[in-house]
């Protein structure tokens, strides 16, 4: 039986932390469960999951649907779409069976790319490689999650770009069901002599197909993501701040100052570094622009916003000596004078 390869290329950058990543994890499980109820999909569909943040990694190689188990989705720093696409193309080279005189190879692969941000790396080498070698023999469906995804970039890779606006968990489940129906439809029509992908009818209340590139342009700087480490278990955590609407911004020193409200703090696992961008964090944000200071989600220390002289953020119980989990230097913390200071921003 000829295989229908389906690749899920998923953005697991810091901006996906919290509900977005949880819904994506549950959505992957729902997708697999739904596909297994269809006999056509069971016969032909093979699934693979690739995650990308600052780096890219295959979480599950191309596997027969009946034996595929959804992997745990990690989190990393950066949104390296270029690296993600390069890794995807390497996987296509490794796993797709071509036609030979002795046998027919796999059906045309279908890739579902999901991202909610803007690339933090150079996409041009990946774009050139994709257009020259893969665009004509694989189908890419790009799904822009939320209003800040770089739709203009996605449209350079594929004409099939959809914007997902899922306000509730029910909305996201409806989106997953749409992906499921699309894969089932493709599994039933693979023998048809046509290119492209057979997508299910779009639910316009949550999905919109992008036709005009101008409608997809958005401003940057919609959120600030900071990472620190727990002083007790040395595991990382993430603090997410979302931009305050323009009407609520203030002015300081004669310049407009963007303000960001704390939206959540999330405990991360040790594999956060494995998918994070190795490049140094050169962009900073003033603490004067940040509203809210959380506690540590790992150990419960009341302050997760203490900064060592090495520039790393950490949690502390209060004033006094503390060992930095990033550089192992002993710090002596006291009461803050009230003046703001700059902290390095993660890539989001």
């Amino acid at each position: 039986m000829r295989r229908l390869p389906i690749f899920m290329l998923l953005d697991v950058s810091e901006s996906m932390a919290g509900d977005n990543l949880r819904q994506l994890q549950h959505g992957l499980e729902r997708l697999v469960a739904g596909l297994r109820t269809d006999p056509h999909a069971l016969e032909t569909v093979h699934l693979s999951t690739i995650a990308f943040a600052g780096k890219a990694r295959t979480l599950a190689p191309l596997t027969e649907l009946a034996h595929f188990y959804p992997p745990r989705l990690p989190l990393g720093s950066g949104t390296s779409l270029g690296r993600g696409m390069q890794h995807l193309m390497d996987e296509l080279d490794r796993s797709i069976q071509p036609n030979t005189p002795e046998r027919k190879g796999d059906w045309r692969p279908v890739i579902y790319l999901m991202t909610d941000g803007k690339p933090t790396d150079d996409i041009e080498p990946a774009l050139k490689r994709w257009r020259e070698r893969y665009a004509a023999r694989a189908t890419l469906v790009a799904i822009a999650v939320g209003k800040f995804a770089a739709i203009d970039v996605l449209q350079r890779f594929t004409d099939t770009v959809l914007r997902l606006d899922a306000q509730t968990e029910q909305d996201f489940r409806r989106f997953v069901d749409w992906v499921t129906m699309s894969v089932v439809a493709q599994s039933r029509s693979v023998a048809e002599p046509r290119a492209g992908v057979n997508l299910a009818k779009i639910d316009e209340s949550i999905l919109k197909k992008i036709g005009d590139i101008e409608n997809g342009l958005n401003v940057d700087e919609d959120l600030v993501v900071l990472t620190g480490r727990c002083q007790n278990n040395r595991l990382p955590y993430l603090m997410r701040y979302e931009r305050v609407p323009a009407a609520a911004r203030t002015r300081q020193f004669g310049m407009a100052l963007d303000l960001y409200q704390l939206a959540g703090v999330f405990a991360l696992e040790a594999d956060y570094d494995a998918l994070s961008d190795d490049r140094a964090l050169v962009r900073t944000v003033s603490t004067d622009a940040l509203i809210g200071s959380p506690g540590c989600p790992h150990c419960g220390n009341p302050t997760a916003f203490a900064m060592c002289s090495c520039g790393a953020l950490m949690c502390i119980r209060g004033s006094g000596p503390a060992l930095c989990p990033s550089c192992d230097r002993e710090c002596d913390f006291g009461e803050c004078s009230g003046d703001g200071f700059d902290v390095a921003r993660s890539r989001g």
Side-chain angles (χ1 to χ4, degrees):
M1 178 67 67
R2 297 176 69 181
R3 305 185 306 176
L4 172 60
I6 304 291
F7 290 85
M8 308 299 293
L9 181 58
L10 306 177
D11 177 354
V12 293
S13 59
E14 294 159 325
S15 57
M16 290 289 290
D19 287 344
N20 286 345
L21 192 68
R22 179 179 57 80
Q23 289 178 355
L24 191 58
Q25 180 75 63
H26 292 168
L28 190 59
E29 295 165 1
R30 184 181 179 91
L31 170 68
V32 173
L35 289 175
R36 284 176 175 164
T37 65
D38 185 85
H40 293 277
L42 275 172
E43 284 185 355
T44 59
V45 170
H46 284 60
L47 286 173
S48 174
T49 304
I50 299 170
F52 71 95
K55 301 174 186 175
R57 189 171 77 200
T58 298
L59 302 181
L62 199 62
T63 303
E64 183 180 356
L65 175 60
H67 299 119
F68 180 88
Y69 293 94
R72 182 185 68 83
L73 299 179
L75 201 70
S77 173
T79 308
S80 295
L81 177 61
R83 290 185 180 180
M85 289 297 297
Q86 293 280 20
H87 189 91
L88 166 71
M89 290 181 278
D90 291 341
E91 280 294 313
L92 291 175
D93 290 341
R94 277 192 292 266
S95 57
I96 298 302
Q97 297 175 358
N99 287 319
T100 67
E102 293 76 27
R103 70 173 185 183
K104 290 185 177 181
D106 292 331
W107 297 111
R108 181 187 179 99
V110 180
I111 301 105
Y112 287 89
L113 162 63
M114 290 186 65
T115 179
D116 74 337
K118 302 172 178 63
T120 57
D121 67 340
D122 181 10
I123 67 164
E124 297 303 327
L127 182 62
K128 182 175 185 293
R129 182 185 175 193
W130 173 259
R131 288 175 172 175
E132 290 179 351
R133 296 181 51 195
Y134 301 88
R137 58 188 181 94
T139 299
L140 176 61
V141 179
I143 299 152
V145 182
K147 61 183 179 180
F148 294 111
I151 289 176
D152 55 327
V153 173
L154 297 178
Q155 286 184 311
R156 298 182 67 192
F157 283 96
T158 177
D159 292 331
T160 308
V161 179
L162 302 170
R163 170 176 283 159
L164 171 64
D165 183 19
Q167 301 293 332
T168 66
E169 290 196 23
Q170 181 61 33
D171 288 343
F172 198 86
R173 284 196 292 269
R174 285 158 58 198
F175 161 69
V176 173
D177 291 343
W178 172 84
V179 175
T180 304
M181 289 186 291
S182 296
V183 173
V184 168
Q186 189 72 9
S187 71
R188 295 179 179 183
S189 63
V190 285
E192 295 178 9
R194 68 177 186 87
V197 64
N198 195 343
L199 297 178
K201 183 179 179 181
I202 292 175
D203 184 343
E204 294 185 354
S205 67
I206 57 170
L207 280 170
K208 179 181 178 183
K209 189 168 184 179
I210 305 300
D212 181 4
I213 190 170
E214 298 300 324
N215 293 334
L217 298 178
N218 291 283
V219 296
D220 288 328
E221 310 304 328
D222 49 296
L223 58 86
V224 168
V225 177
L226 306 173
T227 54
R229 287 192 177 274
C230 175
Q231 185 189 164
N232 292 292
N233 64 16
R234 294 178 175 257
L235 288 176
Y237 55 84
L238 179 152
M239 295 173 283
R240 175 180 172 135
Y241 290 80
E242 296 182 352
R243 195 176 191 178
V244 173
R249 298 176 196 161
T250 64
R251 290 184 175 273
Q252 189 176 51
F253 306 118
M255 297 186 297
L257 177 66
D258 290 330
L259 294 179
Y260 299 86
Q261 176 70 53
L262 180 67
V265 57
F266 309 99
L268 303 177
E269 299 297 332
D271 60 2
Y272 167 79
D273 292 326
L275 276 176
S276 295
D277 199 322
D278 288 330
R279 292 174 295 174
L281 301 176
V282 296
R283 298 199 53 199
T284 62
V285 63
S286 171
T287 57
D288 288 333
L290 305 178
I291 304 171
S293 178
C296 178
H298 286 293
C299 70
N301 271 347
T303 300
F305 212 115
M307 189 168 78
C308 173
S309 58
C310 73
L313 294 176
M314 56 186 284
C315 73
I316 58 173
R317 183 175 296 276
S319 299
L323 191 67
C324 175
S326 295
C327 70
D328 288 323
R329 183 180 304 166
E330 186 171 282
C331 309
D332 191 11
F333 292 97
E335 294 296 326
C336 180
S337 65
D339 295 330
F341 55 92
D342 289 341
V343 293
R345 297 172 63 166
S346 295
R347 300 185 186 277

